[in-house]
């Protein structure tokens, strides 16, 4: 019974195919059933099959290209006014991470530090000289660091607390600040923050993990400037600490480490960095680039568009790709060494984190380069580029201040009174910036057009051909089966009545 049913379905399918081959708009199909010679029919069947395979292969190639190269970053305009570009964050890190005056003041303060048995205050003062190992771990001085850690443990002090107590304050080395030509007290313009380079002073930096999502009205009021070129946006007058006050340093000369970065990006290794040497006037010229994404890209799923928006449903904070990679390296450090660096960017959001101390220097020194490699391989990072961002290329010009007496003005008169002063100016290099936008290069319309061209080339078919296939092998096929079944039942009924 089952064999008869399958045989009937097969015969019906052949009948439908014969009719389809006559009516179809696909080239070559009719020759597979109506050629006079069997050899010719077989030849046409082979040709049609090869045409189907070739068109399917090309269709897959077009689809893969659509998936991999359907987006591109285009330069929309190189003439966007810089007064529409938000100002960057500028972070100033003094070369001296431990000042003798601060150390002595800390040792003689009312809350005197407890020195464990077998150690002295001189041991503390001597061991602090090797505090650079906490920032650039090499594990060259394990004995001295062990003594310092014993003192920190006895006083329940973390590395970040130690840095806060013995590092220079902002007003200790930043003597004068000017923004858009207006003098502003430096303690109001700068904030003291913990970075991977110790305690630094930051202008315009906002930790994205501390901020709640602001309203649209608040988002529309960022910091901008009309100044560019020699009309400096901001200027800082800085002084070095006296040589006798220098204990431990992150640089080998006298000066400051300057970091310029986007205001919501953690001031780490991805920031543009340079050294502002003592006795020099430095001009940092900014070449900003604004990146945006078209609405077509933003409406795509994250896995398709390959970037995160600043506010994303997957993230509960303002997203920045550089911050994500920094966080990922900290996570890898935690996995390997069991702690996170004292300057970790996630420190404020998680209270259960174990902070690395000086006993972890050997582990940190071993994995410093390893973490950068593992970050790119770790599937748990979930880091994608920014859909929208502001980036700054920086050109630095340095000049010795040998003729400062010929520069009248409050700023330079103050600099002339300071030995080996450093002046830093930050400005836009020109009045225009570059605007880039992520655009869809290959939309679904392009893909459909490409597929239509492929199938038309090899098979001569179109959308109507798809309708014909659906009609003959879905609707007409089942209609014929139903008709044959009803005819068979009718004949059986007639035979029974006749008998």
């Amino acid at each position: 019974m089952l064999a008869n049913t399958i045989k009937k379905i097969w015969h019906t399918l052949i009948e439908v195919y014969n009719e389809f081959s006559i009516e179809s708009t696909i080239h070559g199909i009719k020759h597979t059933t109506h050629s006079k010679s069997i050899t010719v029919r077989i030849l046409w069947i082979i040709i049609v099959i090869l045409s189907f395979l070739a068109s399917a292969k090309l269709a897959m190639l077009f689809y893969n290209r659509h998936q991999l190269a359907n987006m591109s970053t285009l330069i929309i305009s190189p003439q966007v006014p810089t007064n529409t570009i938000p100002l960057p964050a500028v972070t100033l890190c003094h070369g001296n991470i431990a000042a003798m005056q601060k150390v002595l003041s800390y040792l003689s303060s009312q809350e005197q530090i407890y020195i464990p048995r077998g150690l002295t205050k001189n041991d503390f003062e001597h061991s602090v000289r090797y505090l650079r190992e906490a920032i650039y771990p090499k594990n060259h001085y394990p004995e001295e660091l062990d003594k310092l850690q014993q003192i920190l443990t006895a006083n329940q002090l973390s590395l970040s607390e130690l840095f806060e107590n013995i590092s220079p304050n902002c007003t200790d080395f930043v003597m004068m600040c000017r923004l858009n030509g207006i003098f502003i007290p430096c303690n109001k313009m700068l904030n003291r923050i913990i970075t991977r380079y110790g305690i630094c002073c930051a202008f315009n930096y906002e930790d994205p993990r501390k901020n709640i999502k602001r309203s649209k009205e608040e988002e529309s009021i960022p910091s901008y400037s009309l100044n560019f070129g020699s009309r400096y946006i901001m200027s800082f007058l800085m002084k070095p600490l006296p040589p006798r006050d220098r204990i431990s340093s992150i640089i080998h000369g006298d000066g400051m480490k300057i970091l310029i970065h986007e205001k919501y990006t953690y001031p780490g290794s991805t920031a543009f960095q340079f050294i502002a040497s003592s006795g020099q006037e430095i001009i940092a010229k900014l070449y900003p680039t604004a990146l945006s994404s078209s609405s077509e890209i933003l409406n795509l799923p994250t896995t398709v568009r390959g970037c995160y928006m600043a506010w994303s449903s997957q993230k509960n904070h303002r997203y920045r790709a550089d911050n994500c990679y920094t966080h990922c390296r900290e996570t890898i450090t935690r996995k390997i060494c069991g702690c996170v660096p004292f300057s970790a960017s996630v420190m404020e959001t998680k209270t259960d984190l174990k902070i690395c101390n000086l006993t972890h220097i050997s582990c940190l020194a071993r994995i410093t380069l390893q973490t950068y490699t593992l970050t790119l391989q770790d599937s748990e990072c979930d880091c994608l580029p920014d859909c929208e961002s502001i980036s700054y290329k920086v050109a630095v010009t340095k000049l010795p201040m040998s003729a400062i007496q010929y520069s009248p003005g409050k700023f330079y008169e103050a600099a002339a009174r300071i030995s080996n002063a450093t002046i830093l100016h930050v400005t836009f290099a020109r009045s225009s910036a570059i605007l880039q936008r992520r655009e869809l290069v290959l939309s679904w319309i392009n893909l459909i057009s490409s597929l239509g061209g492929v199938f038309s080339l090899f098979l001569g078919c179109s959308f109507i051909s798809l309708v014909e296939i659906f009609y003959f092998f879905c609707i007409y096929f089942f209609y014929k089966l139903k008709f044959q079944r009803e005819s068979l039942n009718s004949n059986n009924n007639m035979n029974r009545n006749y008998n």
Side-chain angles (χ1 to χ4, degrees), residues 90-385:
V90 178
T91 302
L92 314 174
C93 301
H94 199 284
N96 295 349
I97 55 176
M100 176 64 76
Q101 185 178 357
K102 299 278 288 187
V103 171
L104 295 178
S105 176
Y106 183 52
L107 288 173
S108 61
S109 62
Q110 292 182 354
E111 299 178 0
Q112 290 203 3
I113 190 169
Y114 171 73
I115 304 298
R117 182 176 299 179
L119 298 176
T120 65
K121 290 185 177 181
N122 288 335
D123 289 323
F124 176 79
E125 181 182 327
H126 179 75
S127 299
V128 164
R129 299 179 184 274
Y130 306 98
L131 198 56
R132 187 177 190 272
E133 289 274 328
I135 295 174
Y136 300 111
K138 302 293 184 181
N139 200 33
H140 289 166
Y141 309 98
E143 294 181 3
E144 289 80 0
L145 295 178
D146 181 65
K147 292 179 183 178
L148 181 57
Q149 184 57 50
Q150 290 183 46
I151 297 174
L152 295 180
T153 302
N155 291 271
Q156 297 182 343
L157 284 174
S158 65
L159 274 175
S160 57
E161 292 172 329
L162 176 65
F163 274 107
E164 288 176 357
N165 283 286
I166 66 174
S167 296
N169 294 321
C170 296
T171 52
D172 291 340
F173 68 95
V174 186
M175 309 310 298
M176 190 173 289
C177 300
R178 185 172 61 188
L179 179 63
N180 291 326
I182 301 174
F183 289 95
I184 300 175
C186 293
N187 59 351
K188 295 183 179 180
M189 188 169 168
L190 300 174
N191 294 317
R192 204 166 184 244
I193 64 171
I194 299 177
T195 73
R196 66 185 302 268
Y197 303 107
I199 303 297
C200 298
C201 303
F203 162 76
N204 199 37
Y205 171 63
E206 295 187 28
D207 190 335
R209 292 179 179 270
K210 293 181 181 180
N211 293 340
I212 60 173
K213 188 173 181 180
R214 298 188 295 175
S215 65
K216 292 183 178 180
E217 291 75 15
E218 292 173 319
E219 286 284 353
S220 63
I221 315 175
S223 298
Y224 298 98
S225 178
L226 293 170
N227 294 334
F228 64 93
S230 59
R231 298 201 309 268
Y232 304 129
I233 298 172
M234 64 192 84
S235 300
F236 302 98
L237 173 61
M238 297 170 284
K239 72 172 185 178
L241 297 182
R244 65 180 180 276
D245 209 16
R246 182 172 182 171
I247 300 180
S248 183
S249 179
I250 57 174
I251 58 178
H252 300 293
D254 288 325
M256 293 77 181
K257 180 183 281 289
I258 311 298
L259 295 89
I260 297 180
H261 50 99
E262 196 264 343
K263 67 182 295 185
Y264 296 108
T265 301
Y266 179 75
S269 56
T270 58
F272 182 88
Q273 305 177 27
F274 60 94
I275 301 299
S277 304
S278 296
Q280 289 190 332
E281 182 176 21
I282 295 96
I283 303 173
K285 297 179 181 179
L286 307 176
Y287 295 85
T289 299
L291 173 66
S292 62
S293 296
S294 64
S295 57
E296 291 86 356
I297 287 184
L298 295 179
N299 290 331
L300 293 174
T302 302
T303 54
V304 176
R305 69 171 179 258
C307 65
Y308 278 128
M309 292 183 284
W311 293 105
S312 174
S313 58
Q314 289 92 338
K315 310 291 179 182
N316 56 5
H317 57 271
R318 184 186 292 272
Y319 178 81
R320 286 292 183 267
D322 289 341
N323 294 345
C324 182
Y325 284 113
T326 299
H327 180 203
C328 190
R329 286 192 288 271
E330 294 165 357
T331 303
I332 293 172
T333 301
R334 185 183 183 187
K335 289 179 181 178
I336 300 176
C337 296
C339 61
V340 296
F342 74 93
S343 59
S345 62
V346 296
M347 196 67 68
E348 299 293 334
T349 58
K350 295 184 179 180
T351 57
D352 60 336
L353 293 176
K354 181 179 179 181
I355 304 172
C356 295
N357 56 38
L358 298 176
T359 63
H360 297 97
I361 294 297
S362 59
C363 180
L364 295 175
R366 188 177 68 254
I367 69 165
T368 297
L369 295 178
Q370 186 181 3
T371 54
Y372 286 88
T373 303
L374 293 177
T375 299
L376 301 177
Q377 301 173 352
D378 198 328
S379 59
E380 297 181 6
C381 285
D382 189 27
C383 295
L384 293 175

Side-chain angles (χ1 to χ4, degrees), residues 17-86:
Y17 179 76
N18 287 331
E19 294 185 40
F20 169 73
S21 64
I22 298 173
E23 303 293 339
S24 176
T25 57
I26 300 176
H27 293 180
I29 289 289
K30 65 179 179 180
H31 299 300
T32 62
T33 58
H34 290 77
S35 294
K36 296 180 180 180
S37 171
I38 295 179
T39 304
V40 175
R41 291 182 187 178
I42 294 174
L43 178 62
W44 274 107
I45 290 174
I46 294 173
I47 292 173
V48 171
I49 291 174
L50 291 177
S51 297
F52 268 108
L53 292 177
S55 58
K57 178 65 176 178
L58 278 181
M60 288 300 299
L61 291 176
F62 273 113
Y63 181 76
N64 290 335
R65 192 181 72 169
H66 171 79
Q67 290 294 97
L68 296 176
N70 62 337
M71 285 181 286
S72 181
T73 302
L74 308 175
I75 295 179
I76 303 302
S77 174
Q79 298 296 326
V80 177
T82 52
N83 59 12
T84 63
I85 303 295

